[in-house]
Amino acid sequence: MMQDEDAAEPSISETADSDAPSKKRRRLKQAKLPTVGADTTGLQGSEDVSLKEENAIWRAGLTQLTRELRHRTCIRYAGEVFNTATQAIVAAMLAHSSPHERDANEATSVPMTARELLAVPTVDAEIPAKPDKFTMLVKYLTAMCQHASGMVTQTAPDTFNKAERTNDGGSYSVHMRNIVKTLQRKSIHSFVHEKYGAASARLVRVITDQRQVEQKTLGEMALLPAAETRTRLFDMYRDKLLNLQEIPKRADYNPQFTLYCWSIDDNRLTRRLVERTQESLVKLRTRRKLEAESHKDLITRSDQLVEQHDKEKFDRVSWSLDRLDRSILHLDRMLMLFDQF
């Protein structure tokens, strides 16, 4: 009898084991369905939830847009430096890398071998056939790797595929960050050239290359007299574009025995350029608005103009507005280069 009762009553461990799954099931939380923009009228007796088109929430893909504009900038730069063949190569490498990128400002693209590049139709069409397309492609890639901007980097050496009995030519990637930095330096050089003159721009270029230069050596490298070098340097120093470090040779700080070393504050120079660009954008947009409002009637009836005088006036207004639009777009690209890329 005792054995039957013991067999009939479940043990404590068995009871705990049987209750554990039920407790776990009770702890599980069901996923909540979205309540914003969802059609909840047909939820009774059905779990199907659909979004109404008029209630759908849309968001701009700013990251993808910035990435595409950055890619186009790199492609355009490759074409300006070399030719259409390198432009097609960079375009193919960035198109291959785009689905794998997550950030808007990736440093480099996803590596791609020379064989994979040659298999792209646009690249194959641009590469010269003589003496051999694969050899010419590798030469183009090597030239881009050796360029001062470092637009392309080799990520893996040439390897031999035993199965196909061919070599892949090595793996390469587009160094987008180097291209952006090169374009930024060019924009800074243009800014200094416009504001302070060609000689000052030459001084800035020498300082940028050398990072820190003594004043006498700087004048010799820039091919400028000592007096003009000193004047131009202090003009830019007054606007807080350059840094000056004094290194005395004697304890009395005699200027004749003191070295004056110049360097560039990149952040300050970039900030000054961005501020100047923003000011120019405001002026251009204000001028365009005034130009459009002052000739509003003429623009409205542009399709109904009959007299030659009105047509000529409309052509002048259109040319002026088009010129302002092109200037605004140019400054927008420059601002995006420093702010987004």
Side-chain angles (χ1 to χ4, degrees), residues 4-42:
D4 295 340
E5 291 178 0
D6 293 341
E9 294 180 359
S11 62
I12 297 176
S13 60
E14 292 177 355
T15 305
D17 293 341
S18 61
D19 291 343
S22 62
K23 290 181 179 179
K24 290 182 180 179
R25 284 195 296 270
R26 285 196 295 270
R27 291 195 195 100
L28 293 176
K29 294 182 179 180
Q30 294 182 353
K32 295 182 179 180
L33 296 174
T35 58
V36 179
D39 184 10
T40 58
T41 57

Short mmCIF file of all heavy atoms in Angstrom, two decimals, residues 4-42:
data_model
loop_
_atom_site.label_atom_id
_atom_site.label_comp_id
_atom_site.label_asym_id
_atom_site.label_seq_id
_atom_site.Cartn_x
_atom_site.Cartn_y
_atom_site.Cartn_z
N ASP A 4 2.24 1.80 -3.37
CA ASP A 4 1.28 2.33 -4.33
C ASP A 4 1.06 3.81 -4.12
O ASP A 4 0.93 4.59 -5.06
CB ASP A 4 -0.05 1.59 -4.21
CG ASP A 4 0.10 0.13 -4.61
OD1 ASP A 4 1.11 -0.16 -5.31
OD2 ASP A 4 -0.74 -0.69 -4.22
N GLU A 5 0.98 4.24 -2.84
CA GLU A 5 0.77 5.66 -2.57
C GLU A 5 1.97 6.49 -3.02
O GLU A 5 1.83 7.58 -3.54
CB GLU A 5 0.52 5.87 -1.07
CG GLU A 5 -0.82 5.30 -0.62
CD GLU A 5 -1.01 5.47 0.89
OE1 GLU A 5 -0.07 6.03 1.51
OE2 GLU A 5 -2.07 5.08 1.40
N ASP A 6 3.17 5.88 -2.78
CA ASP A 6 4.36 6.63 -3.22
C ASP A 6 4.40 6.75 -4.73
O ASP A 6 4.82 7.77 -5.28
CB ASP A 6 5.63 5.91 -2.74
CG ASP A 6 5.74 5.98 -1.21
OD1 ASP A 6 5.06 6.85 -0.63
OD2 ASP A 6 6.49 5.16 -0.64
N ALA A 7 3.96 5.69 -5.40
CA ALA A 7 3.97 5.75 -6.87
C ALA A 7 2.92 6.70 -7.39
O ALA A 7 3.08 7.31 -8.44
CB ALA A 7 3.75 4.34 -7.44
N ALA A 8 1.79 6.79 -6.66
CA ALA A 8 0.71 7.65 -7.13
C ALA A 8 1.03 9.12 -6.96
O ALA A 8 0.63 9.96 -7.75
CB ALA A 8 -0.59 7.31 -6.39
N GLU A 9 1.76 9.44 -5.87
CA GLU A 9 2.09 10.85 -5.61
C GLU A 9 3.35 11.22 -6.37
O GLU A 9 4.37 10.56 -6.24
CB GLU A 9 2.31 11.07 -4.12
CG GLU A 9 1.04 10.85 -3.30
CD GLU A 9 1.31 11.07 -1.82
OE1 GLU A 9 2.49 11.36 -1.50
OE2 GLU A 9 0.38 10.97 -1.02
N PRO A 10 3.30 12.29 -7.16
CA PRO A 10 4.51 12.70 -7.89
C PRO A 10 5.53 13.28 -6.94
O PRO A 10 5.19 13.88 -5.92
CB PRO A 10 3.99 13.75 -8.87
CG PRO A 10 2.76 14.29 -8.23
CD PRO A 10 2.15 13.16 -7.46
N SER A 11 6.76 13.09 -7.26
CA SER A 11 7.84 13.61 -6.43
C SER A 11 7.94 15.12 -6.58
O SER A 11 7.42 15.72 -7.52
CB SER A 11 9.16 12.95 -6.82
OG SER A 11 9.47 13.27 -8.16
N ILE A 12 8.67 15.74 -5.64
CA ILE A 12 8.82 17.19 -5.65
C ILE A 12 9.62 17.64 -6.86
O ILE A 12 9.31 18.63 -7.52
CB ILE A 12 9.50 17.65 -4.35
CG1 ILE A 12 8.62 17.32 -3.17
CG2 ILE A 12 9.79 19.15 -4.40
CD1 ILE A 12 9.25 17.65 -1.84
N SER A 13 10.64 16.83 -7.19
CA SER A 13 11.48 17.20 -8.34
C SER A 13 10.70 17.12 -9.64
O SER A 13 10.83 17.96 -10.52
CB SER A 13 12.71 16.29 -8.41
OG SER A 13 12.30 14.94 -8.55
N GLU A 14 9.83 16.07 -9.77
CA GLU A 14 9.04 15.95 -10.98
C GLU A 14 8.05 17.09 -11.10
O GLU A 14 7.79 17.62 -12.18
CB GLU A 14 8.30 14.61 -10.99
CG GLU A 14 9.23 13.40 -11.14
CD GLU A 14 8.45 12.11 -11.07
OE1 GLU A 14 7.24 12.18 -10.80
OE2 GLU A 14 9.06 11.04 -11.28
N THR A 15 7.47 17.50 -9.94
CA THR A 15 6.52 18.61 -9.97
C THR A 15 7.21 19.91 -10.38
O THR A 15 6.69 20.70 -11.16
CB THR A 15 5.88 18.78 -8.59
OG1 THR A 15 5.30 17.55 -8.21
CG2 THR A 15 4.81 19.88 -8.62
N ALA A 16 8.42 20.11 -9.85
CA ALA A 16 9.17 21.32 -10.20
C ALA A 16 9.53 21.33 -11.67
O ALA A 16 9.46 22.36 -12.34
CB ALA A 16 10.43 21.42 -9.34
N ASP A 17 9.90 20.11 -12.18
CA ASP A 17 10.27 20.05 -13.60
C ASP A 17 9.07 20.31 -14.50
O ASP A 17 9.19 20.92 -15.55
CB ASP A 17 10.87 18.67 -13.93
CG ASP A 17 12.20 18.47 -13.22
OD1 ASP A 17 12.80 19.50 -12.83
OD2 ASP A 17 12.63 17.32 -13.07
N SER A 18 7.91 19.81 -14.08
CA SER A 18 6.72 20.01 -14.92
C SER A 18 6.23 21.44 -14.86
O SER A 18 5.65 21.95 -15.81
CB SER A 18 5.61 19.05 -14.47
OG SER A 18 5.26 19.33 -13.12
N ASP A 19 6.45 22.13 -13.72
CA ASP A 19 5.99 23.51 -13.59
C ASP A 19 6.94 24.50 -14.26
O ASP A 19 6.54 25.61 -14.59
CB ASP A 19 5.84 23.90 -12.11
CG ASP A 19 4.69 23.14 -11.46
OD1 ASP A 19 3.86 22.61 -12.23
OD2 ASP A 19 4.64 23.09 -10.22
N ALA A 20 8.21 24.10 -14.45
CA ALA A 20 9.20 25.03 -15.00
C ALA A 20 8.83 25.52 -16.38
O ALA A 20 8.86 26.73 -16.65
CB ALA A 20 10.58 24.38 -15.00
N PRO A 21 8.45 24.62 -17.32
CA PRO A 21 8.09 25.14 -18.66
C PRO A 21 6.89 26.07 -18.62
O PRO A 21 6.83 27.05 -19.36
CB PRO A 21 7.80 23.87 -19.46
CG PRO A 21 8.52 22.79 -18.73
CD PRO A 21 8.45 23.15 -17.30
N SER A 22 5.91 25.75 -17.74
CA SER A 22 4.74 26.61 -17.68
C SER A 22 5.09 27.99 -17.14
O SER A 22 4.58 29.01 -17.61
CB SER A 22 3.66 25.97 -16.80
OG SER A 22 4.16 25.80 -15.47
N LYS A 23 6.03 28.03 -16.15
CA LYS A 23 6.46 29.33 -15.64
C LYS A 23 7.20 30.11 -16.71
O LYS A 23 7.04 31.31 -16.85
CB LYS A 23 7.34 29.14 -14.41
CG LYS A 23 6.58 28.65 -13.19
CD LYS A 23 7.51 28.52 -12.00
CE LYS A 23 6.75 28.04 -10.76
NZ LYS A 23 7.66 27.90 -9.60
N LYS A 24 8.04 29.40 -17.48
CA LYS A 24 8.77 30.07 -18.56
C LYS A 24 7.80 30.60 -19.60
O LYS A 24 7.98 31.68 -20.15
CB LYS A 24 9.77 29.12 -19.19
CG LYS A 24 10.95 28.79 -18.29
CD LYS A 24 11.93 27.88 -19.00
CE LYS A 24 13.13 27.56 -18.10
NZ LYS A 24 14.08 26.65 -18.78
N ARG A 25 6.77 29.79 -19.87
CA ARG A 25 5.79 30.25 -20.85
C ARG A 25 5.05 31.48 -20.36
O ARG A 25 4.72 32.37 -21.12
CB ARG A 25 4.81 29.12 -21.18
CG ARG A 25 5.38 28.05 -22.10
CD ARG A 25 4.26 27.20 -22.67
NE ARG A 25 3.57 26.47 -21.62
CZ ARG A 25 3.92 25.25 -21.21
NH1 ARG A 25 4.98 24.65 -21.74
NH2 ARG A 25 3.24 24.65 -20.27
N ARG A 26 4.79 31.52 -19.05
CA ARG A 26 4.10 32.68 -18.51
C ARG A 26 4.99 33.92 -18.53
O ARG A 26 4.50 35.04 -18.61
CB ARG A 26 3.63 32.39 -17.09
CG ARG A 26 2.40 31.47 -17.02
CD ARG A 26 1.77 31.55 -15.65
NE ARG A 26 2.64 31.03 -14.61
CZ ARG A 26 2.67 29.76 -14.22
NH1 ARG A 26 1.87 28.86 -14.81
NH2 ARG A 26 3.48 29.36 -13.26
N ARG A 27 6.31 33.71 -18.42
CA ARG A 27 7.22 34.86 -18.41
C ARG A 27 7.39 35.46 -19.80
O ARG A 27 7.76 36.62 -19.94
CB ARG A 27 8.60 34.44 -17.88
CG ARG A 27 8.60 34.10 -16.40
CD ARG A 27 10.02 34.07 -15.88
NE ARG A 27 10.12 33.42 -14.60
CZ ARG A 27 10.51 32.17 -14.40
NH1 ARG A 27 10.86 31.43 -15.45
NH2 ARG A 27 10.57 31.65 -13.20
N LEU A 28 7.21 34.65 -20.84
CA LEU A 28 7.41 35.15 -22.20
C LEU A 28 6.41 36.25 -22.51
O LEU A 28 5.23 36.14 -22.20
CB LEU A 28 7.27 34.02 -23.22
CG LEU A 28 8.36 32.94 -23.17
CD1 LEU A 28 8.04 31.84 -24.16
CD2 LEU A 28 9.73 33.54 -23.46
N LYS A 29 6.92 37.31 -23.12
CA LYS A 29 6.07 38.42 -23.51
C LYS A 29 5.84 38.38 -25.01
O LYS A 29 6.78 38.22 -25.79
CB LYS A 29 6.72 39.76 -23.13
CG LYS A 29 6.85 39.95 -21.63
CD LYS A 29 7.45 41.32 -21.33
CE LYS A 29 7.58 41.54 -19.83
NZ LYS A 29 8.17 42.87 -19.54
N GLN A 30 4.62 38.54 -25.38
CA GLN A 30 4.30 38.55 -26.80
C GLN A 30 4.72 39.88 -27.42
O GLN A 30 4.63 40.92 -26.79
CB GLN A 30 2.80 38.34 -27.00
CG GLN A 30 2.32 36.96 -26.56
CD GLN A 30 0.85 36.78 -26.82
OE1 GLN A 30 0.19 37.74 -27.20
NE2 GLN A 30 0.35 35.58 -26.61
N ALA A 31 5.21 39.79 -28.65
CA ALA A 31 5.62 41.01 -29.35
C ALA A 31 4.42 41.90 -29.61
O ALA A 31 3.36 41.43 -30.04
CB ALA A 31 6.30 40.65 -30.67
N LYS A 32 4.59 43.18 -29.33
CA LYS A 32 3.50 44.12 -29.53
C LYS A 32 3.46 44.58 -30.98
O LYS A 32 4.48 44.90 -31.57
CB LYS A 32 3.69 45.34 -28.61
CG LYS A 32 3.59 44.99 -27.14
CD LYS A 32 3.72 46.24 -26.29
CE LYS A 32 3.59 45.89 -24.81
NZ LYS A 32 3.72 47.10 -23.95
N LEU A 33 2.28 44.60 -31.52
CA LEU A 33 2.11 45.05 -32.89
C LEU A 33 2.18 46.56 -32.95
O LEU A 33 1.83 47.25 -31.99
CB LEU A 33 0.77 44.56 -33.44
CG LEU A 33 0.62 43.04 -33.55
CD1 LEU A 33 -0.79 42.69 -33.96
CD2 LEU A 33 1.62 42.48 -34.54
N PRO A 34 2.64 47.12 -34.07
CA PRO A 34 2.71 48.58 -34.16
C PRO A 34 1.33 49.20 -34.15
O PRO A 34 0.39 48.68 -34.75
CB PRO A 34 3.42 48.80 -35.51
CG PRO A 34 3.18 47.56 -36.28
CD PRO A 34 3.12 46.45 -35.28
N THR A 35 1.23 50.30 -33.44
CA THR A 35 -0.05 51.01 -33.34
C THR A 35 -0.08 52.27 -34.17
O THR A 35 -1.14 52.85 -34.38
CB THR A 35 -0.33 51.37 -31.87
OG1 THR A 35 0.75 52.18 -31.38
CG2 THR A 35 -0.45 50.12 -31.02
N VAL A 36 1.11 52.75 -34.62
CA VAL A 36 1.17 53.97 -35.41
C VAL A 36 1.17 53.60 -36.88
O VAL A 36 2.04 52.87 -37.34
CB VAL A 36 2.44 54.78 -35.07
CG1 VAL A 36 2.48 56.04 -35.93
CG2 VAL A 36 2.45 55.13 -33.60
N GLY A 37 0.20 54.08 -37.60
CA GLY A 37 0.14 53.82 -39.03
C GLY A 37 -0.35 52.44 -39.38
O GLY A 37 -0.23 52.01 -40.52
N ALA A 38 -0.88 51.67 -38.43
CA ALA A 38 -1.33 50.31 -38.70
C ALA A 38 -2.84 50.26 -38.75
O ALA A 38 -3.54 51.01 -38.07
CB ALA A 38 -0.81 49.36 -37.63
N ASP A 39 -3.35 49.35 -39.56
CA ASP A 39 -4.78 49.15 -39.68
C ASP A 39 -5.21 48.14 -38.64
O ASP A 39 -4.95 46.94 -38.76
CB ASP A 39 -5.10 48.66 -41.10
CG ASP A 39 -6.60 48.52 -41.30
OD1 ASP A 39 -7.35 48.97 -40.42
OD2 ASP A 39 -7.00 47.95 -42.33
N THR A 40 -5.87 48.60 -37.58
CA THR A 40 -6.27 47.74 -36.48
C THR A 40 -7.75 47.40 -36.51
O THR A 40 -8.29 46.88 -35.54
CB THR A 40 -5.95 48.43 -35.14
OG1 THR A 40 -6.63 49.70 -35.10
CG2 THR A 40 -4.45 48.68 -35.01
N THR A 41 -8.42 47.67 -37.62
CA THR A 41 -9.86 47.41 -37.68
C THR A 41 -10.16 45.92 -37.80
O THR A 41 -11.20 45.46 -37.35
CB THR A 41 -10.47 48.15 -38.87
OG1 THR A 41 -9.78 47.74 -40.07
CG2 THR A 41 -10.30 49.65 -38.70
N GLY A 42 -9.25 45.17 -38.40
CA GLY A 42 -9.53 43.75 -38.61
C GLY A 42 -8.74 42.84 -37.71
O GLY A 42 -8.41 41.72 -38.09
#
